[in-house]
Amino acid sequence: LNHFRAAAPDVVFCDVHLNDLNGLDVLRQLHELDPALPIVMITGEQSSDLAISSNVHGAFDYYPKPLTASGLNEVVDRAIQSARAARQPAELALPIRRTGQTGLVGRCPAMLEVYRAIGRVAPQRLTVLVLGESGTGKELAARAIHQHSGRKGHPYVTVNCAAVPETLLESELFGHEKGSFTGADRRRTGRFEQANGGTLFLDEVGETTPGTQAKLLRVLQEQEFQRVGGDETLRTDTRVIAATNRNLLAMVAEGKFRADLYYRLSGYTIQLPPLRDRGDDLNLLVQHFLGILCDELKTAVTGLTAESVELLSRYGWPGNLRELQGVLRLAILRATGPVLTPDLFDLQPSGFLKPVAATKPEEAPEDFVAGRLAQGSKNLYAEWLARGEPELIRKVLAHFHGN
């Protein structure tokens, strides 16, 4: 410890078993002196508990004996890169202050239009249909509508129509009487009763069956329903917000969704943009989720390197906000320093831009551009990148022998 204070090393290798002190205690003391220092624990024991304890206490890596020159070189290279990144100012740091209660984050033109739409429709009695890909934040939009409405102090109830079995969804929505079916040993209050005076959010409404759709239509039209197995007609004052990632109009054309229910649900429609179309909002969302996850996981991560920001900006995010949050959580759990580096992010290949299938390898650049313009392309820049990147990556990989 005295030598460490004098030498200020870039990397420390520390044995788990020392003569007068436990290696994990040394690890803790060194990190108190320099939280960004990469410390590699070494031991001759084949113990998973030791490996886990080392990582829990903040070790950069855990290296079993016997040590090899190539292995040491690889660990030292990684450790020095991590230390260098940790000592540089983060390109994207934690936010100074948090967002409001709605949890909606972003200021790109598409999200500003979403905010305007929520502001216009929230005070009204209208049924709202929220559309968007999976993971775009449809539930957050629904909650924002409720919080900005006159029903704010009343119940906000959620039903995921895709998560409830078809045979139980009607009971979930409308309740049931005792003895109405096998297992119904007592009366159950449905979600429409629970949301009376407030808001009912029907997530994944496109997954409902024709029978359930007919009953939903009746309660939306008449504001009344009956419990399963009951004959008493109950009244409800419930505002319905529905959401789906499916194309309901196409389902109507195919006879899979009732046209009258669609028009009843879509009294007002809000379209949420996918993450790949939100531009610089990505950085705001990364900061937002980092703040939440660092509190949740009790970590000292302070931000991302410039290379990490570039990597995330080039990714297509097929899972949208849900995928972003999961990727950041995993990166934080993998991190051994305060700054997240590109190697910590686990991104799915399917999220990157794919080449245009119709493009021929021998096609001249000017012919490609002219052809895509003639076909009315709305995303020519992305298609140009997708055309050239695969060949670029193949050649660079070949030059560096697949490294």
Side-chain angles (χ1 to χ4, degrees):
L1 290 169
N2 291 333
H3 185 66
F4 169 80
R5 292 185 179 94
D10 296 305
V11 185
V12 169
F13 283 80
C14 179
D15 203 304
V16 172
H17 299 292
L18 305 172
N19 291 331
D20 54 352
L21 194 63
N22 183 284
L24 296 180
D25 292 330
V26 174
L27 170 64
R28 281 191 291 268
Q29 292 185 46
L30 291 179
H31 265 172
E32 288 176 3
L33 296 170
D34 185 355
L37 178 75
I39 303 173
V40 182
M41 303 303 294
I42 55 176
T43 182
E45 292 187 28
Q46 301 296 323
S47 169
S48 59
D49 289 338
L50 278 175
I52 294 170
S53 296
S54 298
N55 284 286
V56 166
H57 289 92
F60 176 78
D61 207 345
Y62 175 87
Y63 200 100
K65 297 176 182 177
L67 309 183
T68 65
S70 61
L72 287 174
N73 282 335
E74 190 270 334
V75 172
V76 169
D77 285 345
R78 284 194 295 111
I80 289 177
Q81 290 175 13
S82 174
R84 185 181 297 121
R87 287 180 170 82
Q88 292 175 350
E91 175 74 11
L92 194 64
L94 288 179
I96 296 174
R97 55 181 177 269
R98 297 291 176 81
T99 58
Q101 292 182 343
T102 64
L104 289 168
V105 177
R107 49 174 179 249
C108 71
M111 284 306 296
L112 293 179
E113 184 55 40
V114 169
Y115 301 155
R116 294 187 193 102
I118 290 173
R120 285 191 291 264
V121 78
Q124 309 302 323
R125 177 67 177 78
L126 284 172
T127 301
V128 181
L129 180 62
V130 184
L131 302 176
E133 295 178 8
S134 179
T136 49
K138 296 186 289 295
E139 202 276 338
L140 291 176
R143 189 175 291 276
I145 294 170
H146 174 74
Q147 289 177 347
H148 288 276
S149 73
R151 298 169 179 261
K152 179 180 179 180
H154 298 277
Y156 175 83
V157 180
T158 299
V159 178
N160 186 334
C161 299
V164 181
E166 176 186 346
T167 54
L168 298 178
L169 183 57
E170 186 179 345
S171 171
E172 183 76 12
L173 292 172
F174 307 115
H176 62 251
E177 298 289 352
K178 180 179 179 180
S180 57
F181 54 85
T182 303
D185 53 358
R186 59 185 176 85
R187 172 187 283 181
R188 185 182 188 280
T189 301
R191 300 300 190 184
F192 271 97
E193 283 184 80
Q194 295 170 20
N196 190 35
T199 303
L200 177 62
F201 176 52
L202 299 177
D203 198 9
E204 302 300 345
V205 73
E207 306 299 325
T208 53
T209 62
T212 303
Q213 291 171 26
K215 292 181 172 63
L216 278 175
L217 179 63
R218 180 173 184 270
V219 74
L220 289 174
Q221 288 175 334
E222 309 296 337
Q223 286 290 294
E224 60 183 32
F225 63 94
Q226 293 179 338
R227 298 189 190 99
V228 176
D231 52 14
E232 179 186 2
T233 299
L234 304 173
R235 301 262 330 153
T236 181
D237 175 23
T238 302
R239 182 188 195 168
V240 171
I241 303 174
T244 183
N245 59 8
R246 303 186 66 178
N247 187 335
L248 290 188
L249 273 177
M251 293 178 65
V252 168
E254 296 168 2
K256 297 178 180 178
F257 199 85
R258 291 182 64 113
D260 45 7
L261 177 59
Y262 169 76
Y263 292 116
R264 178 66 66 171
L265 288 174
S266 58
Y268 193 92
T269 300
I270 296 176
Q271 179 75 49
L272 289 182
L275 182 53
R276 62 183 172 275
D277 292 341
R278 291 182 56 178
D280 291 339
D281 276 3
L282 176 64
N283 291 346
L284 296 176
L285 289 160
V286 169
Q287 290 177 306
H288 172 69
F289 287 136
L290 270 184
I292 294 173
L293 292 170
C294 286
D295 287 348
E296 174 189 318
L297 302 174
K298 303 294 187 291
T299 64
V301 169
T302 58
L304 282 72
T305 65
E307 294 80 8
S308 296
V309 174
E310 172 66 18
L311 174 67
L312 298 186
S313 69
R314 293 186 63 252
Y315 185 61
W317 300 108
N320 294 294
L321 306 186
R322 191 176 296 119
E323 183 183 12
L324 174 62
Q325 191 169 10
V327 164
L328 288 172
R329 178 181 282 108
L330 182 57
I332 291 171
L333 290 172
R334 289 174 169 175
T336 55
V339 181
L340 300 181
T341 52
D343 57 294
L344 300 174
F345 294 98
D346 186 14
L347 303 178
Q348 301 298 322
S350 61
F352 288 99
L353 293 170
K354 298 180 177 67
V356 179
T359 301
K360 298 178 181 179
E362 66 275 7
E363 186 177 21
E366 58 270 26
D367 294 336
F368 171 81
V369 173
R372 296 306 299 144
L373 289 174
Q375 294 180 35
S377 172
K378 302 294 185 184
N379 203 16
L380 183 56
Y381 180 66
E383 292 173 349
W384 175 267
L385 288 179
R387 175 183 185 267
E389 276 187 336
E391 184 62 20
L392 168 67
I393 293 170
R394 278 194 292 270
K395 288 182 176 178
V396 174
L397 278 173
H399 180 79
F400 290 102
H401 307 293
N403 189 331

